[in-house]
Amino acid sequence: MSEPQLMLTLSDTAATETLGRTLADALLALAADIASRGCTIYLQGELGAGKTTLARALLQRLGVGGPVKSPTYTLLEPYEASRLHLYHFDFYRFKTPAEFMDGGFAEYFGPGGVCLVEWPERAGDYLPPPDLRIVLQDHDPGRSAMVSAQTEIGAKCRDRLPGLR
């Protein structure tokens, strides 16, 4: 799907959290679509670019209580909140893409689930393509986010982020 990219300037950590909360609201609005086909969101960027900050704000907005842990060591943190099945992946520690299949992670991608994937490039071609790709980059000051839709559901999510433009 060739859709225009949304470029956002995120002046500080609070702005990254706002993006996460706004994306959570978009996912809630699309819960019926997600139930029938799922939604995969790639979160890309260097270390410290804000991927986990964005994911944490999204999960908290959806009602995940208590601390939201980074899945850097566990590789997957599952959650159920606001009628959604949420799976937060972090593949930073993968040494080879085949670890995706070896870990049995493919079963989480499909109808009913929202998969937030940090470091998707480390899973290579084993990982299903994203519905929505968010690339975060640090700048001095702040950071930027490039949001691009790869599918219809991704475009619906992206189009619900206009308040951030």
Side-chain angles (χ1 to χ4, degrees):
M1 166 173 259
S2 178
E3 293 285 336
Q5 297 175 349
L6 176 60
M7 293 294 298
L8 303 170
T9 299
L10 306 171
S11 58
D12 54 20
T13 300
T16 304
E17 292 168 343
T18 297
L19 173 57
R21 288 189 297 271
T22 305
L23 185 54
D25 292 342
L27 293 171
L28 278 176
L30 299 170
D33 289 337
I34 291 168
S36 67
R37 69 163 310 278
C39 183
T40 300
I41 301 171
Y42 286 7
L43 301 174
Q44 295 179 278
E46 296 301 318
L47 284 171
K51 298 178 298 295
T52 300
T53 298
L54 188 152
R56 185 173 289 124
L58 181 151
L59 291 164
Q60 288 172 338
R61 175 64 156 235
L62 291 174
V64 173
V68 175
K69 300 181 292 182
S70 171
T72 301
Y73 294 102
T74 59
L75 302 178
L76 166 64
E77 289 292 336
Y79 303 94
E80 286 194 41
S82 301
R83 306 176 320 269
L84 296 173
H85 299 281
L86 304 151
Y87 305 103
H88 184 192
F89 296 91
D90 185 331
F91 297 139
Y92 179 74
R93 294 185 327 121
F94 274 13
K95 296 199 182 346
T96 67
E99 290 180 64
F100 178 82
M101 294 306 290
D102 294 343
F105 297 119
E107 69 185 67
Y108 295 96
F109 293 80
V114 175
C115 295
L116 303 172
V117 185
E118 297 186 42
W119 300 96
E121 60 277 6
R122 303 240 173 151
D125 292 337
Y126 293 104
L127 187 64
D131 294 291
L132 192 69
R133 180 186 312 267
I134 301 174
V135 180
L136 296 160
Q137 287 188 308
D138 271 328
H139 298 290
D140 188 19
R143 60 178 55 119
S144 65
M146 181 180 64
V147 182
S148 59
Q150 310 295 309
T151 65
E152 183 179 342
I153 196 167
K156 288 177 181 180
C157 282
R158 183 207 55 223
D159 292 347
R160 290 179 177 270
L161 304 177
L164 297 171
R165 293 182 190 200

